[in-house]
Amino acid sequence: MRFNLYALGLVLPALLAGCAAPPPVPPREAGERCLARLDQAGVSYALAAQPASVDACAVDTPVRVGATGIAWNQPGVVGCAFALRLDAFIREDVQPLARARFGQGVRQLRHFGTYACRRDTGNGRRWSEHASGRAIDLAGFELEDGTTIAVERDWHGQGAKSRFLHALARRACRRFSVVLTPDSNRDHRNHIHLDDGPWKLCSA
Ligand SMILES: [Zn+2]
């Protein structure tokens, strides 16, 4: 099931542009190897077209992910490598932590967004890691019994949900380059930002 928008995304712009500048082509071998690993991991995804023509907003092997072991509240476009990292994070960090703290696993991941061709609000307005498809804004989770954990509601306080979210953020710092939380600034009052960019910042 590899034929889809991805191929069109490569071919159509070239046709429309009268074969002028070819669109950026992902490293085929590395991309294919990554996709094979996604298949192996059982991640539910579809190949996605390059989402924007802006160079700064190109994504390496873009995929539209619908589930990584657990369902997502909405699909999200990320680069294949970031999808792999998220999948490992959920299996190896989120699920064990939820079982240890709540005696049950997580059945849904809730997020506010993944890919977005935009600049950061701070930091000299450099391009956001969301623009490269290697970031997600994590809003919370739903446990197997329907209990919800929301970053906005549960980050602060002393309860089990707050402790879970803080422990999760600390583990995320070992896996992702940047972890921003409600402790970072007001922009992150309702989500945990995870990215795989070149900077290192842990706000757990
Ligand atoms: Zn973000």
Side-chain angles (χ1 to χ4, degrees):
M1 294 289 287
R2 287 287 173 77
F3 172 77
N4 54 25
L5 290 174
Y6 177 70
L8 275 181
L10 293 179
V11 172
L12 267 184
L15 291 177
L16 293 173
C19 298
V25 177
R28 293 300 301 168
E29 269 192 51
E32 282 297 330
R33 273 201 303 274
C34 181
L35 293 171
R37 289 179 64 196
L38 269 194
D39 289 334
Q40 241 172 19
V43 171
S44 166
Y45 71 94
L47 298 174
Q50 274 299 337
S53 57
V54 183
D55 276 356
C57 295
V59 178
D60 188 352
T61 319
V63 289
R64 178 178 296 275
V65 175
T68 47
I70 54 172
W72 289 19
N73 66 319
Q74 57 176 330
V77 172
V78 292
C80 179
F82 192 73
L84 271 180
R85 194 172 293 264
L86 271 176
D87 177 59
F89 173 62
I90 289 158
R91 277 187 292 105
E92 297 167 14
D93 291 329
V94 177
Q95 292 292 33
L97 207 55
R99 290 192 187 104
R101 306 258 167 166
F102 304 111
Q104 58 181 316
V106 160
R107 75 176 179 199
Q108 191 190 57
L109 170 152
R110 295 178 176 180
H111 73 93
F112 289 138
T114 51
Y115 176 82
C117 185
R118 61 173 165 80
R119 292 176 188 270
D120 276 335
T121 46
N123 303 318
R125 296 200 30 85
R126 63 173 176 241
W127 286 96
S128 162
E129 292 304 319
H130 285 280
S132 309
R134 50 186 182 184
I136 190 169
D137 290 335
L138 207 54
F141 301 97
E142 185 179 320
L143 300 179
E144 283 163 357
D145 72 355
T147 302
T148 59
I149 299 170
V151 173
E152 181 164 34
R153 183 189 61 205
D154 299 318
W155 176 263
H156 298 290
Q158 300 299 318
K161 292 178 181 179
S162 173
R163 289 196 299 275
F164 168 78
L165 287 172
H166 282 79
L168 197 63
R170 285 192 295 274
R171 290 178 77 143
C173 286
R174 299 205 294 258
R175 195 177 287 279
F176 297 94
S177 310
V178 171
V179 177
L180 301 173
T181 69
D183 291 343
S184 304
N185 53 45
R186 194 168 155 67
D187 284 347
H188 295 83
R189 68 192 173 282
N190 61 0
H191 67 273
I192 298 175
H193 165 101
L194 305 175
D195 81 50
D196 208 9
W199 319 97
K200 186 72 191 164
L201 185 58
C202 172
S203 172

